[in-house]
């Protein structure tokens, strides 16, 4: 069924960092410890030991043993682990791959830019393409977009730019919001830890690489500018803009001939704009004061408009030509936006909305973490990270909630065959790899707040899962690992549909196992799958193998954090 053959010895196919725990999983029904051998690239045995039988593992359906080879710590490439006749994929003991992935995961966003040519000098010939959606035939363009007929807002908007959300050509304010926030949060955290030089001008391959501004801010601004353009005259933000009908695979962005349409404004989109614009206002304050002021004005206006329209929900059935991104609970978006506005301005009114929110002090933080539809923890993270005037005891309570939830993750990870901060007792959702990585961010913050090594080790366990220590012996990050995702659901990186087009570029993250089988390919191939095996590397399997900006932003945040830990 799955074109990717599986191994009996499952390792992170990319690398284990020196000085940190190194674990692998053996698939075996034996009830007694098995002898494992670590070999170097010449095939010489350099270490050996015994596995620990763990029995049947629920998430994978495998009978497993744990292999712990932490005591071997000699950097090198091309190591393998063997048990009997079974040998793992090769891997490095090195911090270098994670330092590289920090940048490749960010490069994804330049690839996804709309409204501008993607130039070979930044991405290489195979990924270069003309600008999409700038009104060059057959494109209809995002220059002058009317509202959908059933809304008839009475104006058109120029909403060129931004990032395409995923494998489609839609651009969604809800989702653009969390993705931009996560990149900006990575930067804001790095400023506080002294690691901001990692994102300095000239660190990324983008057109703005010599403009005197940190490159991560430049990339985030590409989307922040789009979010600003989605603001209606009344201060509300349009929920999304996308094609009138779904296009076929493949469809190059510049050849998309569908009519483009704005959906109605929504409270959730408006609060995403308010939150990100307020966050951006404080980050650009000392870098571009004019832009900072523009962002803050837009954020205040959006927040006011959302309070006047507190329950304007996006239509959950509006899924033709683009995703719905509907969300029936917006108290979390209100909290997030108020937290960003209060942190940036110190205004009493925003403070009252923060402290009066049911989400205050990470009240609802749990092992579900955060996502595009659940954004309260983003407000908590900002309040815990950036100086503000809230009582020290309340900030301490937020930080301790992160440690409490991180301990819950570690407790079940201890029991899992393929340890990852997503137990999946109720299944794995669409984009499960982002759940894993967002929960890894919770673990990382617990480490930041407490200094406890166990949380750091949990973050690296999550990365090992994503990079190949999983029951499918697959790295979910393209270009990383011997058997890595290639055939992402994407209209341009559609090599599987058209061999003249490229595969997914290095550093792009597959959505990952989704046990609800929500596309025809998954429904045909994956019936009965244990949750961690509900995945296939097929371009048609969009509910398991798409890429998306809010997933790569999670990968970028976590790899940036991990690279900092191992000393870049
Ligand atoms: O990530 C989204 C996931 O949480 C939803 O369950 C799913 C179905 O509504 O949509 C996902 O987002 C997709 C969006 O709707 C359209 N662009 C591609 C996104 C990633 O698959």
């Amino acid at each position: 069924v799955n074109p990717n053959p599986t191994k009996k010895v499952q390792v992170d196919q990319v690398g284990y960092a020196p000085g940190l725990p190194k674990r692998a999983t053996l698939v075996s029904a034996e009830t007694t410890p098995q002898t494992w051998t670590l070999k170097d690239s010449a095939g010489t045995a350099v270490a050996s030991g015994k596995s620990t039988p763990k029995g049947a593992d629920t998430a994978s359906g495998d009978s497993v043993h744990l292999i712990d080879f932490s005591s071997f710590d000699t950097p090198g490439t091309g190591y393998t682990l063997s048990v009997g006749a079974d040998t793992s994929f090769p891997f490095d003991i090195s911090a270098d791959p994670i330092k590289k992935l920090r940048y490749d995961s960010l490069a994804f966003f330049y690839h996804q830019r709309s409204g501008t040519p993607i130039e070979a000098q930044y991405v290489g010939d195979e990924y270069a393409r003309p600008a999409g959606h700038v009104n060059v035939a057959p494109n209809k363009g995002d220059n002058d977009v009317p509202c959908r007929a059933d809304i008839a807002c009475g104006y058109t908007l120029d909403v060129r730019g931004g990032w395409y959300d995923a494998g489609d050509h839609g651009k969604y304010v809800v989702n653009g919001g969390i993705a931009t926030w996560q990149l900006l949060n990575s930067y804001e955290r790095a400023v506080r830890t002294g690691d901001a030089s990692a994102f300095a001008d000239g660190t990324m391959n983008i057109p703005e690489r010599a403009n005197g501004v940190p490159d991560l801010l430049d990339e985030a601004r590409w989307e922040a500018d789009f979010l600003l353009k989605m603001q209606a005259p009344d201060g509300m933000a349009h929920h999304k803009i996308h094609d009138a009908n779904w296009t076929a695979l493949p469809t190059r962005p510049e050849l998309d001939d569908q009519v483009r349409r704005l959906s109605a404004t929504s409270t959730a989109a408006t609060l995403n704009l308010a939150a990100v614009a307020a966050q951006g206002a404080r980050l650009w304050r000392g870098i571009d004061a004019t832009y900072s002021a523009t962002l803050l004005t837009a954020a205040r206006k959006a927040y006011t408009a959302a309070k006047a329209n507190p329950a304007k929900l996006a239509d959950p059935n509006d899924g033709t030509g683009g995703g719905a991104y509907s969300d029936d609970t917006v108290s979390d978006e209100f909290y997030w936006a108020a937290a960003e506005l209060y942190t940036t301005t110190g205004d009493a009114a925003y403070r009252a909305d923060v402290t009066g929110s049911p989400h205050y002090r990470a009240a609802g933080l749990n092992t579900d973490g955060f996502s595009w539809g659940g954004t309260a923890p983003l407000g908590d993270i900002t309040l815990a990270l950036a100086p503000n005037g809230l009582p020290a005891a309340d900030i301490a309570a937020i930080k301790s909630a992160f440690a409490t939830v991180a301990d819950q993750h570690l407790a079940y990870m201890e029991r899992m065959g393929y340890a990852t901060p997503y137990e999946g007792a109720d299944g794995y959702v669409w984009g499960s790899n982002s759940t894993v990585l967002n929960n890894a961010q919770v673990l990382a913050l617990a480490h930041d707040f407490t200094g406890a090594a166990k949380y750091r080790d949990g973050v690296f366990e999550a990365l090992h899962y994503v990079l190949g220590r999983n029951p499918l012996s697959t790295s979910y990050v393209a270009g990383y690992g011997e058997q890595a995702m290639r055939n992402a659901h994407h209209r341009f990186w559609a090599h599987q549909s058209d061999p003249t087009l490229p595969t997914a570029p290095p550093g792009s993250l597959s959505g990952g196992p989704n046990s609800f089988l929500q596309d025809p390919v998954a429904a045909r191939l994956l019936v009965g799958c244990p949750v961690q095996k509900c995945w296939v590397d097929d371009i048609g399997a969009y509910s398991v193998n798409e890429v998306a900006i809010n997933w790569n932003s999670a990968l970028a945040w976590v790899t940036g954090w991990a690279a900092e830990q191992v000393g870049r």
Side-chain angles (χ1 to χ4, degrees), residues 165-166 168 172 246 322-325 372 430 518 542 546-548 550-551:
D165 186 55
D168 61 332
Y172 312 88
W246 289 108
Y325 281 117
W372 63 262
W430 195 314
Q518 288 162 282
Y542 55 82
E546 195 161 355
V547 292
N550 61 317
W551 305 340

Side-chain angles (χ1 to χ4, degrees), residues 123-159:
V123 295
D125 289 336
E126 65 173 327
Y127 291 106
R129 57 172 172 80
H133 300 94
V134 288
N135 208 14
V136 174
N139 255 191
K140 299 296 186 286
D142 290 350
N143 314 37
D144 203 15
V145 184
C147 290
R148 286 169 32 156
D150 54 332
I151 300 152
C153 58
Y155 51 78
T156 62
L157 289 183
D158 178 351
V159 292

